[in-house]
Amino acid sequence: MTEANDRNSQFDFRRLIKSKELLVFAFLILLLVFAPLFLSIFRINLLGKFIAYAILAIGLDLIWGFTGILSLGHGVFFGLGAYCMAMYLKLEAAQGKLPDFMSWSGLESLPWFWKPFTNSALAFAMAILIPTGLAFVIGFFTFKNRIRGVYFSILSQALAIIFSVLFVGQQAYTGGTNGLTNYRSIMGFSLSSDTTKLILYYISLALLVVTYLFCNFLVKRRIGRILVAIRDGENRVRFSGYNPATYKIFVYCLSAAIAGLAGAVFVPQVGIISPAEMGIVPSIEMVIWVAIGGRGTLIGAVIGAILVNALKSGISDSFPDVWSYFIGLAFVLVVLLMPQGIVGLVKEMARKFKQTPNHTEHLSTDKAA
């Protein structure tokens, strides 16, 4: 009887934690909603960039925190989504003419693969579909051949190197090292307008809410339990009659789609995208956000992305030469002292706090006996 009560208590406690996570997320969104009342438009624009990163972090947490697939090349999917939106913005700025960097490179006509990006809706759709398609191709050949663990991580790193070098080398088509910049408007609205910046901020925030709720819904269903089972014991899942490769391909594609969405939201607010964003260093930083926030929690990914980038921005203003050391030190400390991240630490403290009264009660009962 006592054992059954303990199980029910643990179940209720886990359910309580989940509800508290939603409350924390709701509180965080509430703060972000009212942030424009207290911050300058420059800070709001910067916060919009962090929100785009938070969307990306949710997708990365879905594949790493829940499924156990460590991707060190997610910057590629983020960059592809950003480039798709940047191509539309660049064509709108050109007003029917050839983009400036193409003229400088000697091109006389618009390349055929640029022409569909004259349409904003199509550009936004491609920002999601292209990363998803690439993820499907990579996932199909890797997961079907049971490539996993450190081997997949190395493969994803190689993907980041290949794409960053490729985009740097195609100066006439991608802008080379400088990337794509000098946008003026989006769907006819000036990007320099404070109103447009505010609208883009709230669009980013709305997409963050939708992404979080969708992924939260997903991980609470049976597919979420299967993803966690794959993380904890892939062979057992296979012996149970499931095909882990199918689920891994699905979650990899979904994560890439979310990364592409984040990239599309990122570009109009930041005003530039370059091959540097597709490299290894940004991809590793993305993993750091999730690790510091707490992988396998979703809310931890959001908190980690916003917090780390806010600290990065603040520290780089005061210590521009050494800010990367602060971020690296923070990551090392989290790995050593808080392996479950900030959210994991809070959960552990809450669990110990809940168990303390029960322990005291048992001691009192023993003494009475």
Side-chain angles (χ1 to χ4, degrees):
M1 186 72 178
T2 305
E3 186 177 344
N5 291 336
D6 289 341
R7 288 179 180 175
N8 291 333
S9 176
Q10 289 177 3
F11 175 76
D12 291 339
F13 182 60
R14 289 174 184 173
R15 187 167 57 185
L16 183 63
I17 288 177
K18 290 294 183 182
S19 64
K20 284 186 176 180
E21 285 181 11
L22 288 174
L23 287 175
V24 170
F25 179 73
F27 178 71
L28 179 61
I29 294 300
L30 199 62
L31 289 178
L32 293 173
V33 166
F34 290 106
L37 299 177
F38 309 101
L39 299 177
S40 66
I41 195 65
F42 170 77
R43 294 295 176 186
I44 289 301
N45 198 40
L46 196 61
L47 192 56
K49 170 185 171 182
F50 301 160
I51 291 173
Y53 284 151
I55 295 172
L56 168 64
I58 291 175
L60 186 57
D61 190 30
L62 197 64
I63 188 173
W64 181 37
F66 286 90
T67 318
I69 303 171
L70 178 57
S71 172
L72 297 178
H74 246 55
V76 172
F77 304 124
F78 177 79
L80 287 174
Y83 264 96
C84 288
M85 182 56 67
M87 289 166 74
Y88 159 72
L89 296 173
K90 195 66 179 173
L91 289 174
E92 183 167 324
Q95 297 181 345
K97 299 178 182 178
L98 203 63
D100 49 14
F101 71 90
M102 290 186 182
S103 300
W104 300 336
S105 301
L107 293 183
E108 297 181 355
S109 61
L110 190 68
W112 62 269
F113 57 86
W114 268 74
K115 292 179 180 179
F117 292 93
T118 54
N119 184 282
S120 59
L122 184 58
F124 187 79
M126 294 300 284
I128 298 175
L129 294 176
I130 290 178
T132 305
L134 177 62
F136 177 79
V137 173
I138 296 171
F140 182 83
F141 288 105
T142 54
F143 299 137
K144 286 290 184 181
N145 289 295
R146 300 189 182 181
I147 297 175
R148 56 181 180 175
V150 67
Y151 301 103
F152 179 82
S153 299
I154 293 173
L155 180 65
S156 63
Q157 267 195 333
L159 183 71
I161 296 173
I162 291 170
F163 270 84
S164 58
V165 171
L166 177 65
F167 274 62
V168 167
Q170 299 298 315
Q171 168 73 38
Y173 305 107
T174 63
T177 307
N178 296 326
L180 302 180
T181 186
N182 295 328
Y183 321 127
R184 296 191 180 92
S185 62
I186 179 169
M187 291 184 286
F189 298 97
S190 174
L191 286 172
S192 60
S193 168
D194 290 351
T195 303
T196 304
K197 292 178 180 179
L198 198 60
I199 291 173
L200 287 172
Y201 170 80
Y202 280 116
I203 289 175
S204 303
L205 191 57
L207 290 174
L208 173 63
V209 173
V210 171
T211 303
Y212 178 87
L213 292 179
F214 173 74
C215 291
N216 187 63
F217 170 82
L218 198 66
V219 299
K220 286 184 176 180
R221 295 300 178 270
R222 187 178 72 168
I223 186 173
R225 294 192 290 272
I226 293 174
L227 294 179
V228 173
I230 291 172
R231 180 194 67 189
D232 296 339
E234 184 173 334
N235 289 333
R236 291 185 179 182
V237 174
R238 186 176 290 109
F239 294 150
S240 298
Y242 295 96
N243 185 1
T246 303
Y247 290 93
K248 291 166 80 172
I249 292 171
F250 166 75
V251 75
Y252 191 48
C253 289
L254 178 59
S255 183
I258 293 173
L261 172 65
V265 171
F266 171 87
V267 163
Q269 298 184 90
V270 177
I272 185 174
I273 181 63
S274 69
E277 295 289 341
M278 307 173 78
I280 294 177
V281 174
S283 297
I284 293 176
E285 286 186 359
M286 296 167 190
V287 173
I288 292 175
W289 306 338
V290 178
I292 291 178
R295 67 190 185 102
T297 60
L298 292 183
I299 184 63
V302 175
I303 293 173
I306 295 176
L307 180 62
V308 171
N309 282 285
L311 289 174
K312 176 181 174 180
S313 179
I315 294 172
S316 62
D317 288 343
S318 304
F319 308 98
D321 296 328
V322 295
W323 65 265
S324 57
Y325 295 103
F326 283 95
I327 301 300
L329 179 62
F331 179 64
V332 171
L333 291 176
V334 166
V335 170
L336 293 177
L337 304 177
M338 298 186 297
Q340 300 302 318
I342 296 173
V343 173
L345 178 64
V346 172
K347 284 183 178 181
E348 185 64 27
M349 292 174 63
R351 189 176 291 109
K352 288 182 179 180
F353 179 78
K354 179 178 176 60
Q355 290 175 350
T356 301
N358 292 335
H359 181 65
T360 307
E361 187 178 325
H362 286 313
L363 287 176
S364 301
T365 305
D366 292 340
K367 287 181 180 179

